[in-house]
Amino acid sequence: MLHLILLILFLALLPLLLGQGLQTVPELLTGKKARLPEKYVSGSLLFVFAAEGAHLLTLLRKGTLADAMKVMGICVIALATVAYVLMMVGIVKRTLKKSGAGVGSAGASGPEPAEGEKSADPERPDMTDVSESKAEKSKGFGAAGIFAVGIALLMIVLALYLLTGNHLNFYGDMTMETVNALLEDAPLYTINPMTGQPYETGIPSRLTILCLPTLYALLCRAFGLPAMTVVWRVASVFWLVNVLFAALYLARMLFPEGISDAKHSGEPMASDAPSDADHHKKQAALRRNLFTFLCLFLLFAADRAVGLPGFSLLHMAYGARCIRALVLLPTLAAAFFDKRYLLCCSCILAESVIMWTHFGVGLTFVFFLLLVAVSFVQKRRKGGAK
């Protein structure tokens, strides 16, 4: 039980640390801050890349899983150290920026007005206005809060289903057999997972670079847990959390704060009053929570046949098909809208190292080209309209 708790903490904290360090780079260069969803998903992909590096180095040296374990440990420690240093640099830079801004504003503010002047200032809200705004905020939280609770309940139901249900489907999947073969301490990909005997003619080289079974086998060896627990249970819930964060990231890009109904209809903004800004934030929060709730809820409706996204999540969440359909593609779309092109490239590269793709690229690359084409056409239309 202790080993299982340690594995859960490891998979919860390490991607967050790696993602925090990775997203600090664009923050230092452009000033664009990242939030929890993109940090966690990018950290998860970086963790997969570390497993791919350990897998390839061990494969080239014809080593065993024990050799891959050493390389993986070095990669994780190195990446975590770099991420921690970048995170500290970002924190120091933000602190210095805030302190500099505070000193500048204090010097420019001049002497404070007298008590009578404070109360007579028409721009300074009184306590009645403050209480009214608080009442409006608590009233507007209702719908968005209800959908947020619904998202939490759906996540609990999905996690319990993955942890306790007899729901697995192994059609066209050999992940568990491959993990067990890797745990035999033979050189990587020399044992046929279906027979337990050495390969006679070998396997395609494109198949040997896929690192997902090696990642799961490394987690089994590192935490002393059986393959069934790691692959069928823990890995499934881990990727479920990434599905949630990918949906939240996409929702924030589709419904950013500050978009009003007047903007949607093409009318000019009437004013930028604080009350309007609060209203826009409430509407954006409502749309985001509704979008995320519908994404999670419709996964149940898509549980009809092999290959559908809902079926992949509910019956094979640890597999590459589920990761590509429900993590990589939504994250790629959101990162493209957010102009985080490094994260876009990470999604494309991640697909090539977890599942068989033609010419080294797959659906994520085609989807990225489609997004580029749509963006180009949209810019041309705007230019022609002007």
Side-chain angles (χ1 to χ4, degrees):
M1 188 63 182
L2 178 60
H3 292 179
L4 180 60
I5 295 174
L6 290 176
L7 175 58
I8 293 172
L9 291 175
F10 178 79
L11 292 178
L13 298 178
L14 181 66
L16 188 58
L17 173 61
L18 297 180
Q20 177 71 46
L22 182 64
Q23 295 301 328
T24 302
V25 177
E27 182 179 342
L28 293 174
L29 296 177
T30 64
K32 182 186 294 185
K33 293 183 180 179
R35 298 187 184 180
L36 178 62
E38 55 265 40
K39 288 177 183 178
Y40 193 86
V41 175
S42 60
S44 300
L45 298 183
L46 194 58
F47 184 49
V48 171
F49 295 149
E52 175 65 16
H55 173 79
L56 288 179
L57 288 175
T58 307
L59 197 67
L60 291 175
R61 297 171 54 195
K62 298 181 180 180
T64 63
L65 188 67
D67 301 320
M69 189 79 181
K70 299 174 184 176
V71 181
M72 183 66 174
I74 295 173
C75 292
V76 169
I77 292 173
L79 288 175
T81 303
V82 173
Y84 181 77
V85 171
L86 290 174
M87 184 176 65
M88 289 296 104
V89 171
I91 292 174
V92 170
K93 184 178 179 181
R94 286 193 297 269
T95 304
L96 293 176
K97 187 176 180 180
K98 286 181 181 179
S99 61
V103 171
S105 61
S109 60
E112 291 188 2
E115 254 184 64
E117 293 175 356
K118 282 185 183 179
S119 59
D121 188 356
E123 295 183 358
R124 188 181 298 275
D126 58 9
M127 293 305 296
T128 306
D129 297 333
V130 172
S131 60
E132 288 179 358
S133 64
K134 286 183 178 179
E136 289 178 359
K137 286 182 181 179
S138 61
K139 184 179 178 181
F141 175 76
I146 290 173
F147 283 112
V149 172
I151 292 170
L153 291 177
L154 280 177
M155 283 295 295
I156 292 173
V157 171
L158 287 169
L160 291 175
Y161 183 80
L162 294 176
L163 288 172
T164 61
N166 187 14
H167 50 76
L168 299 169
N169 183 279
F170 307 110
Y171 179 79
D173 179 69
M174 295 193 306
T175 303
M176 178 58 66
E177 291 82 358
T178 306
V179 170
N180 285 323
L182 293 173
L183 289 172
E184 294 295 330
D185 273 339
L188 300 187
Y189 286 102
T190 57
I191 300 295
N192 189 333
M194 303 305 295
T195 64
Q197 301 298 321
Y199 282 108
E200 296 181 1
T201 59
I203 59 175
S205 58
R206 182 69 188 89
L207 189 61
T208 60
I209 71 172
L210 304 183
C211 69
L212 213 53
T214 304
L215 173 61
Y216 297 152
L218 289 171
L219 292 176
C220 293
R221 180 62 59 84
F223 291 91
L225 293 170
M228 290 187 295
T229 301
V230 172
V231 178
W232 291 347
R233 310 302 182 196
V234 179
S236 296
V237 176
F238 171 70
W239 291 115
L240 172 64
V241 174
N242 279 274
V243 169
L244 172 65
F245 284 139
L248 289 172
Y249 187 24
L250 182 59
R252 194 174 80 248
M253 291 300 103
L254 292 176
F255 308 107
E257 292 180 358
I259 292 185
S260 64
D261 297 331
K263 253 187 184 176
H264 282 297
S265 61
E267 299 175 1
M269 294 285 291
S271 65
D272 292 331
S275 59
D276 294 337
D278 291 340
H279 175 72
H280 300 159
K281 288 182 180 180
K282 294 174 191 174
Q283 292 300 315
L286 174 61
R287 294 184 181 116
R288 292 173 186 174
N289 291 348
L290 176 60
F291 176 83
T292 307
F293 176 83
L294 289 177
C295 287
L296 295 177
F297 182 77
L298 290 176
L299 289 174
F300 292 98
D303 181 23
R304 298 294 298 172
V306 177
L308 293 179
F311 188 92
S312 299
L313 177 66
L314 296 174
H315 303 280
M316 207 184 298
Y318 58 86
R321 289 180 182 177
C322 173
I323 299 171
R324 180 181 66 180
L326 299 177
V327 178
L328 298 183
L329 290 177
T331 303
L332 175 62
F336 183 82
F337 296 145
D338 200 17
K339 296 182 180 179
R340 294 185 183 274
Y341 300 114
L342 179 61
L343 186 52
C344 292
C345 296
S346 299
C347 293
I348 297 171
L349 182 60
E351 183 190 9
S352 66
V353 301
I354 65 174
M355 69 182 306
W356 190 310
T357 55
H358 296 287
F359 310 108
V361 294
L363 184 58
T364 52
F365 182 71
V366 176
F367 186 56
F368 178 74
L369 294 180
L370 179 62
L371 290 174
V372 172
V374 171
S375 178
F376 178 75
V377 171
Q378 187 178 10
K379 289 179 180 178
R380 289 291 299 269
R381 284 184 177 180
K382 286 184 179 178
K386 288 181 182 179

